[in-house]
Amino acid sequence: MKIAEVSKLLDISADTLRYYERIGLIPKIHRDKSGNRDYTELDCKWIKFIKCMRNAGMPIEILIEYVTLLQEGEHTAGVRKELLLEQREHLQDKIDELQQMLSYLNGKIDKYDEVIMKTEKELRNEVDK
């Protein structure tokens, strides 16, 4: 599969795909006779994994560390799991913070509705007089 197809399929820019390959987040992509990248299904799975981790907020540096450890083999499983646990904790903290912001915003909206309803009622009463 060519880079444009993968880019469209996985909703990730071709520039980002090249960058991920250059920094080692995805393995070197096989090239066809013309020198064009030719992505396999396994390559696409790597890209999906990296995209998922980035969407979860994992920094590039941590991802590079994770991928490097993964390529070193099973003896790094404990360290890799610890990296994922740390990322989960960061993500949970962010979710908690967003929940607090949402609660605050909902409170403001509720108060706003109360004020508007009161004002509109007063306006209706003035019109009825």
Side-chain angles (χ1 to χ4, degrees):
M1 195 179 320
K2 301 300 174 211
I3 197 167
E5 296 170 291
V6 172
S7 174
K8 185 175 181 179
L9 177 70
L10 300 179
D11 191 29
I12 188 169
S13 75
D15 287 338
T16 301
L17 290 171
R18 288 185 203 97
Y19 172 68
Y20 285 174
E21 182 182 359
R22 186 169 17 94
I23 65 172
L25 278 184
I26 57 177
K28 288 287 181 194
I29 304 300
H30 171 76
R31 306 278 182 139
D32 65 15
K33 294 177 194 173
S34 302
N36 296 316
R37 288 172 176 83
D38 190 18
Y39 291 83
T40 65
E41 188 175 324
L42 182 59
D43 297 328
C44 290
K45 285 181 181 181
W46 267 103
I47 295 163
K48 287 177 187 176
F49 169 74
I50 298 302
K51 187 177 174 186
C52 178
M53 293 294 102
R54 289 295 293 142
N55 286 340
M58 186 176 275
I60 291 285
E61 298 78 19
I62 302 297
L63 260 174
I64 291 170
E65 181 181 0
Y66 184 91
V67 169
T68 301
L69 290 167
L70 180 63
Q71 292 170 343
E72 287 178 16
E74 289 302 311
H75 69 280
T76 65
V79 178
R80 293 191 322 260
K81 183 176 180 181
E82 188 59 38
L83 288 173
L84 294 175
L85 289 168
E86 288 172 10
Q87 184 56 35
R88 181 177 67 183
E89 187 176 325
H90 291 303
L91 189 55
Q92 186 61 57
D93 290 345
K94 187 170 221 160
I95 289 169
D96 293 344
E97 183 180 339
L98 288 171
Q99 285 290 353
Q100 289 175 352
M101 286 186 233
L102 181 59
S103 179
Y104 178 79
L105 184 58
N106 284 335
K108 295 297 274 183
I109 290 168
D110 291 344
K111 294 291 184 200
Y112 185 81
D113 287 344
E114 288 174 18
V115 169
I116 286 179
M117 296 301 289
K118 180 181 176 187
T119 303
E120 287 179 352
K121 185 177 179 181
E122 290 171 357
L123 289 174
R124 278 193 307 273
N125 287 339
E126 285 298 318
V127 170
D128 291 341
K129 288 184 181 180

